[in-house]
Amino acid sequence: EAQVTQNPRYLITVTGKKLTVTCSQNMNHEYMSWYRQDPGLGLRQIYYSMNVEVTDKGDVPEGYKVSRKEKRNFPLILESPSPNQTSLYFCASRLATGASKQYFGPGTRLTVT
Amino acid sequence: TQLLEQSPQFLSIQEGENLTVYCNSSSVFSSLQWYRQEPGEGPVLLVTVVTGGEVKKLKRLTFQFGDARKDSSLHITAAQPGDTGLYLCADGSSNTGKLIFGQGTTLQVKP
């Protein structure tokens, strides 16, 4: 089954404690991205990757890091989380063409206290 | 930068009513996608429109792409509680693979 998986689904942490949210896709897609979704602000892209070892900033990259060492995996790293990073996070993947379908993961609900 | 505006932002209707939501842009789309997101889940693609004037139907949902490819609409006939969710339009014009999303329309269909 074609899917994007991300873990954990829920995470409560404290300010400053480094965390990683994993993301994996089984469709051999070149393009992967991370979004955060906040009430009234919609889906905002954090980082994206067009292929292995190729990553770039999205619209709201501050406070986040990513890596793309393998095509299937695209982890999101918060080196020093802060309360304003409390949000719902989605990983997504698609073929790198304009009309192709984007597959989203189930989401990670992060709370930073 | 392409800006997508969706309207209305919120819509609460009774089961059986019809509704239309809109997605408008300041620029021309090369392709436009509509997604639905149910509470607690990621968005799921409903349809992609590519050609100006195109109309696509998905059961009770009708998607229309404007002739000038700068706007799109989603019409739902006889809405059901199962149609409740967030409806997002997304512009796939970028050749980098990036999708630009509208803010979404939150639809609530009451039984």
Side-chain angles (χ1 to χ4, degrees):
Chain A
E1 180 190 354
Q3 62 181 354
V4 178
T5 57
Q6 52 182 111
N7 286 290
R9 293 290 312 277
Y10 302 91
L11 180 59
I12 300 174
T13 189
V14 295
T15 299
K17 186 177 180 182
K18 180 180 178 180
L19 67 93
T20 299
V21 184
T22 64
C23 173
S24 183
Q25 50 95 2
N26 62 0
M27 296 164 280
N28 203 37
H29 286 165
E30 300 93 358
Y31 188 88
M32 297 185 74
S33 58
W34 277 102
Y35 296 87
R36 60 177 291 174
Q37 188 174 36
D38 303 287
L41 297 176
L43 278 167
R44 294 182 292 169
Q45 191 183 53
I46 302 170
Y47 266 93
Y48 66 95
S49 168
M50 292 182 68
N51 216 321
V52 176
E53 302 293 1
V54 181
T55 64
D56 209 346
K57 296 177 181 179
D59 301 315
V60 287
E62 293 78 20
Y64 305 94
K65 286 175 60 177
V66 292
S67 68
R68 188 91 180 272
K69 294 185 172 61
E70 305 164 284
K71 200 170 188 179
R72 63 183 293 124
N73 296 324
F74 190 45
L76 178 70
I77 303 153
L78 283 72
E79 294 269 4
S80 183
S82 62
N84 65 11
Q85 292 178 299
T86 292
S87 187
L88 180 58
Y89 291 86
F90 289 101
C91 180
S93 76
R94 67 193 296 238
L95 292 171
T97 57
S100 65
K101 175 180 178 179
Q102 177 145 281
Y103 292 79
F104 284 85
T108 295
R109 172 78 64 183
L110 172 65
T111 302
V112 183
T113 60
Chain B
T1 303
Q2 177 87 294
L3 292 176
L4 272 66
E5 292 187 4
Q6 288 189 243
S7 61
Q9 286 192 19
F10 302 97
L11 196 52
S12 181
I13 61 172
Q14 293 296 133
E15 181 176 0
E17 292 183 15
N18 302 331
L19 66 114
T20 303
V21 299
Y22 301 92
C23 177
N24 295 288
S25 170
S26 55
S27 309
V28 174
F29 300 109
S30 61
S31 66
L32 184 94
Q33 298 182 337
W34 283 94
Y35 289 79
R36 180 169 69 204
Q37 183 180 13
E38 298 185 22
E41 299 181 12
V44 176
L45 180 68
L46 294 173
V47 77
T48 300
V49 287
V50 179
T51 306
E54 185 175 3
V55 177
K56 284 192 173 179
K57 293 194 174 185
L58 187 65
K59 296 184 182 177
R60 292 176 293 100
L61 279 61
T62 302
F63 303 86
Q64 194 155 5
F65 202 16
D67 291 340
R69 306 205 324 270
K70 294 179 72 173
D71 58 274
S72 181
S73 64
L74 158 58
H75 182 80
I76 302 179
T77 304
Q80 305 292 312
D83 296 325
T84 292
L86 176 66
Y87 289 81
L88 295 157
C89 65
D91 171 31
S93 300
S94 171
N95 59 8
T96 68
K98 180 176 181 176
L99 284 178
I100 298 172
F101 285 88
Q103 300 281 47
T105 294
T106 299
L107 171 65
Q108 181 186 43
V109 182
K110 300 174 190 173

